[in-house]
Amino acid sequence: MKGFLGFVCFVLLSQGVGGLLHTWTDGWFTLWALTHRIGSLDGYHVYVDMLLIVLGLAVGTASGKVKSPA
């Protein structure tokens, strides 16, 4: 479970940071910017990217608190 939560943390953080980099570079950075490809999020990309970063940090904190089975 701890490994899965760590993976989810990485995906959320990489999507959030990639989306912000996409916004700040005026579309030059497109490697991990999946939020900009969703049409219903037009105008809310920065907020969604910041939300993904916060969720990634929360999942990362939760994965650190999970006890591994003995």
Side-chain angles (χ1 to χ4, degrees), residues 46-58:
V46 174
Y47 302 114
V48 171
D49 294 332
M50 289 191 309
L51 178 66
L52 288 174
I53 291 172
V54 169
L55 287 175
L57 291 174

